Amino acid sequence: MGLDGRDGSVVGAHILVVDDDPRLRRLLQRYLTEHGFRISAAASAAEARQVLGFMQPDAMVLDVTMPGENGLALTRALRQEGQDLPILLLTARGEPEDRITGLEAGADDYLGKPFEPRELLLRLKAHLRRFAPPAPSDNLRVVRLGGLEFDPARGLLSGPEGSVHLTGGEVALLSALARRPNEVLGRDEIARLLDMEEIGERAVDVQVTRLRRRIEPDPREPRFLQTVRGKGYVLKPGM
């Protein structure tokens, strides 16, 4: 995967499209291929697992309402297994509460059907850029969080028990907070920084909860990523 220096678009990224509708799979495969992506397709969660068994895509476009294991269940399972690729869910249900459910399952984004292919394209590019290592001009260094170290350039969280790659949403949130340590950021500002304004501020709370499970010794009593009542969140790095 690379970044086109002219317009910031992602070139050559490999996308796994999972949907039980053959017409939609063909449409997305053709459209995304025309825009420089490499595409694999699957008609079910079982087929998607087979694909993931021999290759690692850069992102996944996943239908929620598939027969058998649905998209939400597959998303939860992939996150539990340590899969950190960006996941964009597709569903006929596009209400805010449904989007929150998707984020809670571990998805990075949520797009209601019917949708414009160009919107899907733009969202994919945004998530892939966010997931990619920062440009050399980004001067954010390794962040210490007790016994953990966050390397923003690689999206890697390391500690005594080993290292884990954070998801694109987790990297974006932790990086945004780490660039302004000990400074309170409002939910609205965080939503803007993470391109989550359309989903709303509650989506920020969901991302914070997910991140706390990664970095806090006790997520119920956060030490590093703290809530400032009525104002927002603040990251307090250190030992």
Side-chain angles (χ1 to χ4, degrees):
M1 183 177 73
L3 292 177
D4 187 327
R6 292 169 299 176
D7 63 3
S9 61
V10 179
V11 176
H14 196 154
I15 311 299
L16 174 57
V17 175
V18 188
D19 197 300
D20 62 322
D21 182 344
R23 184 191 63 81
L24 183 58
R25 286 200 311 275
R26 289 193 298 269
L27 184 152
L28 291 180
Q29 188 161 10
R30 182 174 65 251
Y31 183 81
L32 294 174
T33 298
E34 290 172 352
H35 286 82
F37 292 98
R38 294 176 293 126
I39 306 299
S40 294
S44 66
E47 286 188 17
R49 289 183 180 281
Q50 291 177 350
V51 174
L52 292 168
F54 63 83
M55 56 86 72
Q56 178 65 39
D58 294 302
M60 180 183 295
V61 176
L62 176 60
D63 185 32
V64 169
T65 55
M66 297 183 295
E69 185 180 15
N70 65 31
L72 291 176
L74 179 58
T75 299
R76 290 191 189 96
L78 292 176
R79 293 310 191 208
Q80 290 170 359
E81 295 165 10
Q83 289 279 358
D84 57 357
L85 75 168
I87 297 177
L88 191 152
L89 294 178
L90 301 178
T91 181
R93 301 165 62 190
E95 295 301 316
E97 282 301 313
D98 297 319
R99 300 184 183 193
I100 294 297
T101 301
L103 292 173
E104 289 175 335
D108 294 281
D109 207 345
Y110 205 95
L111 192 58
K113 297 178 181 178
F115 58 87
E116 287 291 333
R118 179 165 172 76
E119 182 178 2
L120 173 65
L121 176 68
L122 293 174
R123 290 185 182 225
L124 270 176
K125 286 181 177 181
H127 287 296
L128 287 164
R129 283 196 300 267
R130 190 170 67 184
F131 192 79
S137 60
D138 191 328
N139 60 1
L140 183 59
R141 299 181 179 179
V142 171
V143 180
R144 295 297 301 270
L145 300 164
L148 300 175
E149 289 188 349
F150 169 58
D151 182 351
R154 295 188 293 164
L156 198 65
L157 188 68
S158 303
E161 298 181 2
S163 300
V164 61
H165 283 279
L166 301 181
T167 67
E170 291 165 346
V171 171
L173 174 57
L174 188 49
S175 296
L177 292 166
R179 287 187 179 92
R180 293 159 66 177
N182 302 306
E183 180 180 342
V184 179
L185 298 185
R187 289 175 174 83
D188 57 344
E189 183 173 6
I190 294 174
R192 178 179 57 79
L193 292 171
L194 271 58
D195 295 322
M196 298 174 68
E197 294 170 288
E198 180 184 344
I199 304 176
E201 295 178 12
R202 188 178 163 200
V204 172
D205 298 335
V206 171
Q207 292 282 23
V208 166
T209 298
R210 285 170 52 182
L211 183 57
R212 279 176 172 160
R213 295 193 191 111
R214 298 278 206 176
I215 67 173
E216 297 287 355
D218 182 358
R220 295 168 299 180
E221 297 290 337
R223 171 185 168 192
F224 303 110
L225 207 178
Q226 298 183 7
T227 301
V228 179
R229 188 176 299 276
K231 294 185 177 180
Y233 296 103
V234 57
L235 185 71
K236 297 188 175 183
M239 295 299 296

